[in-house]
């Protein structure tokens, strides 16, 4: 939401020890901006968990982690559920901060994350066990997949069609759809 982004930009840029380097409304804009920032040190990325578009927040977090491994990534959202928080952490976020946190707590979480600390600000403390269990469950699901299925899934997460995945991996489209069917079945998704 543009108003929320503007408010966060004002809050963060008002701090003497922080600078807003870029603001993006979707994953494509964000990745374009990161190309410019990759040589900068001590960069922290806030990713709203409700990011719209073809590539969602989780795709963006995973892509940033893969392409820019030194950047700190913090997921943020208002009243996010346990599943969204654990998924963000699983795909590569260094922490989560709820947009409903007090401004001082929000800024403190950003500072701590930039220093390498894992932060969870906002979720009730009784969620921590459930978040940890969900991360473990997601790891277990990934272990169920063969190496080839993980390759297919990683490329499918980029939004490519079965034909495009096949072209990239040197497989027939039908082979890719068979792999996808097995992946969906193993992960219990449709």
């Amino acid at each position: 939401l543009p108003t929320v982004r503007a408010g966060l930009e004002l809050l963060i840029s008002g701090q003497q020890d922080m600078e807003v380097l870029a603001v993006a409304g979707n994953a494509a804009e964000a990745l374009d901006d990161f190309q410019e920032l990759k040589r900068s040190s001590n960069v922290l990325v806030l990713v709203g968990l409700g990011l719209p578009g073809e590539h969602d927040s989780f795709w963006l977090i995973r892509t940033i982690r893969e392409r820019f491994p030194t950047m700190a990534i913090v997921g943020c959202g208002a009243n996010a559920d346990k599943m969204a928080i654990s998924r963000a952490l699983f795909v590569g976020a260094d922490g989560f901060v709820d947009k409903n946190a007090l401004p001082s707590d929000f800024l403190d979480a950003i500072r701590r994350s930039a220093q390498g600390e894992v932060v969870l600000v906002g979720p009730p403390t009784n969620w921590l066990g459930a978040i940890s269990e969900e991360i473990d469950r997601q790891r277990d699901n990934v272990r169920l997949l063969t190496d080839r299925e993980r390759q297919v899934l990683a490329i499918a997460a980029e939004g490519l069609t079965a034909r495009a995945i096949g072209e990239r991996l040197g497989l027939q489209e039908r082979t890719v759809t068979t792999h996808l069917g097995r992946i969906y079945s193993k992960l219990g998704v449709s």
Side-chain angles (χ1 to χ4, degrees):
L1 299 169
T3 303
V4 173
R5 283 193 303 273
L8 287 173
E9 183 177 7
L10 284 171
L11 175 67
I12 294 166
S13 63
Q15 307 305 303
Q16 291 185 346
D17 60 335
M18 296 182 190
E19 177 185 6
V20 176
L21 300 175
V23 178
N26 61 52
E29 287 177 22
L31 290 176
D32 286 345
D33 290 342
F34 296 150
Q35 295 301 329
E36 308 279 325
L37 304 176
K38 66 182 176 183
R39 289 181 287 279
S40 300
S41 61
N42 207 19
V43 173
L44 179 131
V45 181
L46 274 175
V47 178
L49 296 188
L51 192 65
E54 179 182 343
H55 298 300
D56 66 8
S57 307
F58 307 108
W59 178 89
L60 180 59
I61 291 168
R62 182 177 48 249
T63 303
I64 294 167
R65 178 58 60 225
E66 290 170 356
R67 294 185 189 175
F68 311 101
T70 60
M71 288 185 180
I73 306 167
V74 175
C76 63
N79 304 314
D81 61 31
K82 296 175 227 177
M83 178 76 164
I85 295 168
S86 62
R87 187 171 174 207
L89 295 170
F90 177 74
V91 298
D94 298 303
F96 172 81
V97 61
D98 194 298
K99 290 178 185 175
N100 291 317
L102 294 173
S104 58
D105 292 342
F106 192 93
L107 293 167
D108 181 59
I110 293 172
R111 287 183 178 100
R112 292 184 3 233
S113 289
Q115 295 170 357
E117 189 176 329
V118 175
V119 297
L120 285 174
V121 174
T125 54
N126 64 347
W127 281 20
L128 298 182
I131 290 170
S132 176
E133 287 173 14
E134 181 60 28
I135 291 170
D136 288 343
R137 186 189 69 71
Q138 291 174 30
R139 283 189 181 128
D140 289 343
N141 284 344
V142 170
R143 285 187 208 119
L144 294 172
L145 304 178
T146 66
D147 288 342
R148 178 60 91 183
E149 287 168 342
R150 281 194 293 276
Q151 286 177 324
V152 169
L153 182 59
I155 296 171
E158 295 176 21
L160 297 178
T161 64
R163 178 175 293 176
I165 295 168
E167 288 172 3
R168 187 178 295 180
L169 294 175
L171 300 172
Q172 295 294 320
E173 182 178 0
R174 178 72 182 134
T175 303
V176 172
T177 58
T178 299
H179 281 305
L180 290 171
R182 289 182 183 145
I183 292 166
Y184 298 155
S185 177
K186 287 179 179 182
L187 299 180
V189 298
S190 57

